[in-house]
Amino acid sequence: MCGQKMVPTFQGNRLPSFPGSSQQTVNRSTRTHSTNMMKAMWRREFNIRSLGFSHDRPEQFVRCQWQKNAEISITYLVYRWAFAILFLSVWVWSFFSAAEQNTPAENFLSKWPIYLTNWGYTLCTSQALLAVGLVIQQLIKERRTGFTEDHVQMPVIYKVYWLLHTLAVVIAIGITGSYFVVDYNPAVHTLTALNLLMHAFNAILMVLDVLVVAHPFRLLHFCWSLLFIFTYFCFSVMYHLAGGTGKNNAPSIYPALDWNKVGSTLAIAVLGILAVVFAHFCVWLTVIIRKQIAGSNDDACEELKISKPSSNQVQPLEVNTP
């Protein structure tokens, strides 16, 4: 036996194992999976179709990210009611507050619609009311017919809510930032409860809502936020050209948006546009973190419809049995 050459033999279909080889394979597979997920995310976000509001999981728009069951959560319904009532109450309060400041020389209520703050708060209120309506509608449907996950074409009303919610959160952050950085003057403005609710808690509440809801937030949707801001800038120009005035008959709606000083006002407008893009990007990152913490793979499931397996994926070893 001393001079005989030894040939390794394997029992049945069992393959030889080498120290560390299994862990290396797992690590390689994990890195490959993470890389593929990142590539899939960027393909989805920069796909031209992401400019629209099509989505194959409409039930996400009536769910909380943190709920365990598939059906409507009563806790989430209560949250949506409280959210809508709060925004609607403050929105109505702002009307009465403007009416109380009316004088024989100036009608403050008639100037309520010219302010970006009120445009943004109207967005917040509209999406909050629509959100609670959609949740109630789905709850009624479940109670009548029983719950079924309906992967059908995205309803138009869901698309409207998605647009309003995206605009509301980004514009709210932009309004809060611009108010306290550019517009706020302690000698002129008093931080009353209404002022804080419309210029600070609007952004706080909308960011909270982003952390609660389950529906996606698309990176390319920043175009709609830019369109909204551009529309307001165009309105402010036309209002100025028509001889409109701000509060207390000021020559402009906002001191920083005085079109009598075109150069400085254009600079402020450009900075405002960049701030909106940055705010949108920050919200998008927040949603990604939210989904990671919640362990959600909804976007991955959506991506599987258009993605193909990578050629460098670790494939399972197949052994033919005799």
Side-chain angles (χ1 to χ4, degrees), residues 236-275:
S236 68
V237 171
M238 291 185 291
Y239 185 78
H240 170 75
L241 294 176
T245 59
K247 191 174 182 179
N248 297 322
N249 293 317
S252 61
I253 301 175
Y254 295 103
L257 206 61
D258 187 354
W259 291 105
N260 289 314
K261 307 171 184 177
V262 177
S264 60
T265 301
L266 283 177
I268 291 294
V270 171
L271 289 176
I273 290 173
L274 293 177

Side-chain angles (χ1 to χ4, degrees), residues 167-206:
L167 292 177
V169 62
V170 174
I171 300 304
I173 294 173
I175 288 172
T176 298
S178 62
Y179 179 75
F180 286 102
V181 173
V182 178
D183 190 54
Y184 177 68
N185 183 353
V188 178
H189 303 100
T190 304
L191 292 180
T192 62
L194 180 61
N195 194 356
L196 288 173
L197 284 168
M198 298 197 70
H199 291 104
F201 283 92
N202 57 331
I204 294 173
L205 290 173
M206 287 309 304

